[in-house]
Amino acid sequence: MTAPERAQTQTTGRSAQTATLAEIAREAGVSAPTVSKVLNGRADVAPATRTRVEELLRTHGYRRRRAEATRSPLLDLVFHEMESAWALEVIRGVENVARDAGLSVVLSESAGRLTPGRTWADQVAARRPHGVILVLSELDESQRALLTSRSIPFVVMDPAGDPGTDVPSIGATNWQGGLAATRHLVELGHTRIGAITGPSRMMCSRARVDGYRAALETAGLPVDPSLIMPGDFHHESGYRLGLQLLRREDRPTAIFAGNDLQALGLYEAARELGLRIPEDVSVVGFDDLPVARWVGPPLTTVRQPLTEMAEAAARLVMELGRTDGTEPAATRVELATSLVVRSSTAAPPA
């Protein structure tokens, strides 16, 4: 660093003040080169020191000058896991927008963790992408501070938890989808309806099962906790929990699966037990992955517009990275879900 960079501190309703990186270094009790290392995503900084410096940079509202000129032609796309066709739909949407903007997409996976590791944040800071899109993931405070200090915008798609009012996010109407799926089964005449949920730690999963409960309560039907099975959004849990539900003497006549993969596992469980879909048990999924149209019978499901959500997230993160002062029209968006009725649902057996 040949000359002190200037940091800008934005104050609400007042003119901006300025502070040098040297002043930030003195406040943190470190040298100016150490602050520069933190800004450049260098790994040779003690974690406690890095956290202290990033907190001060965030407090002072630091933004690197000429951020646009220093960015790489990349978008970072981060999944907590990439094991299904669900991820492919998201990748397709981000690629659609990135391709038109002349950008490439860097894929990362956090091995099932909802928060990426520290090494990932350092790598992103060093790459200086146009933006970061996190899918079913979130950032801790130090990671947010690091990206903010480097003027790297980020958007959370389908947040795992409540992202907070200051975190841009793209989601879907999960509660409405769970309501629509269960209401469809009620209108067909089902009164004993099971559910295989997703992980309780994920906000989308909780919203879907809340919609399921609301549909039953609105119809005056009891909510039987023993018919609500906690799954993990994978095929294996749909199969395993489906066997448990379908082996009961008082088995449900219909089951709402929290996503299409669990619905497919439920199909396998029904076949193993010699049960027919929909003659013996009706099944509704969630997502409307391409495979939902191909299975036999074709799956009734709630369409979550995954590709459109991913496109919206990519457009939003690029808008947030603009340096002309233009603000996005909205930074928290929910796209509508819709019920797609196919052949896996029918009236209950007489």
Side-chain angles (χ1 to χ4, degrees), residues 234-272:
H234 291 108
H235 176 278
E236 292 77 8
S237 68
Y239 167 73
R240 174 174 50 84
L241 298 174
L243 285 176
Q244 292 183 34
L245 286 171
L246 296 176
R247 280 175 172 157
R248 295 173 58 135
E249 290 185 6
D250 58 346
R251 69 171 184 257
T253 60
I255 299 175
F256 168 45
N259 72 344
D260 288 351
L261 293 180
Q262 291 185 147
L264 296 180
L266 180 56
Y267 269 46
E268 184 178 347
R271 284 195 298 270
E272 184 171 310

Side-chain angles (χ1 to χ4, degrees), residues 55-335:
E55 176 62 25
L56 286 168
L57 290 168
R58 185 178 65 82
T59 300
H60 285 284
Y62 179 82
R63 299 290 189 277
R64 288 183 66 93
R65 290 185 171 184
R66 299 181 56 78
E68 186 71 31
T70 63
R71 290 181 186 148
S72 301
L74 304 171
L75 284 180
D76 264 72
L77 177 57
V78 186
F79 291 89
H80 84 293
E81 60 185 14
M82 291 189 296
E83 294 185 351
S84 72
W86 191 95
L88 294 179
E89 296 300 302
V90 175
I91 294 169
R92 180 178 294 112
V94 174
E95 283 278 9
N96 289 344
V97 174
R99 182 171 55 250
D100 291 343
L103 304 176
S104 298
V105 178
V106 177
L107 295 178
S108 303
E109 184 191 46
S110 53
R113 299 187 305 271
L114 295 184
T115 301
R118 178 75 235 190
T119 301
W120 168 84
D122 290 338
Q123 292 171 345
V124 170
R127 279 196 293 271
R128 300 178 187 174
H130 269 61
V132 175
I133 301 168
L134 299 113
V135 183
L136 280 173
S137 301
E138 56 196 13
L139 299 176
D140 62 31
E141 193 62 31
S142 66
Q143 292 168 336
R144 290 172 57 181
L146 175 59
L147 296 187
T148 300
S149 70
R150 299 304 306 276
S151 294
I152 300 173
F154 57 90
V155 170
V156 179
M157 176 184 156
D158 212 0
D162 184 358
T165 57
D166 60 336
V167 176
S169 64
I170 303 292
T173 55
N174 289 289
W175 183 89
Q176 184 63 42
L179 179 78
T182 311
R183 180 178 288 165
H184 168 65
L185 295 171
V186 170
E187 290 174 348
L188 287 172
H190 295 275
T191 58
R192 189 164 176 77
I193 302 170
I196 301 176
T197 74
S200 61
R201 62 180 177 167
M202 292 185 179
M203 187 166 63
C204 63
S205 173
R206 297 195 303 272
R208 292 171 196 178
V209 75
D210 285 347
Y212 155 87
R213 290 191 182 98
L216 293 178
E217 292 169 353
T218 300
L221 297 174
V223 177
D224 184 347
S226 72
L227 293 181
I228 302 174
M229 311 295 284
D232 60 10
F233 281 158
H234 291 108
H235 176 278
E236 292 77 8
S237 68
Y239 167 73
R240 174 174 50 84
L241 298 174
L243 285 176
Q244 292 183 34
L245 286 171
L246 296 176
R247 280 175 172 157
R248 295 173 58 135
E249 290 185 6
D250 58 346
R251 69 171 184 257
T253 60
I255 299 175
F256 168 45
N259 72 344
D260 288 351
L261 293 180
Q262 291 185 147
L264 296 180
L266 180 56
Y267 269 46
E268 184 178 347
R271 284 195 298 270
E272 184 171 310
L273 297 175
L275 299 175
R276 299 166 299 164
I277 299 173
E279 290 84 358
D280 298 314
V281 60
S282 289
V283 177
V284 181
F286 201 110
D287 283 335
D288 195 25
L289 298 177
V291 69
R293 300 189 297 272
W294 306 334
V295 294
L299 177 65
T300 294
T301 187
V302 176
R303 182 178 185 272
Q304 182 175 209
L306 293 171
T307 301
E308 293 89 337
M309 290 165 64
E311 290 173 343
R315 286 192 294 267
L316 177 57
V317 81
M318 292 176 63
E319 290 175 7
L320 290 167
R322 295 179 62 176
T323 58
D324 59 4
T326 303
E327 296 290 336
T331 58
R332 300 197 71 174
V333 178
E334 280 195 345
L335 300 187

Side-chain angles (χ1 to χ4, degrees), residues 336-347:
T337 55
S338 58
L339 181 68
V340 181
V341 178
R342 297 194 178 99
S343 304
S344 67
T345 51

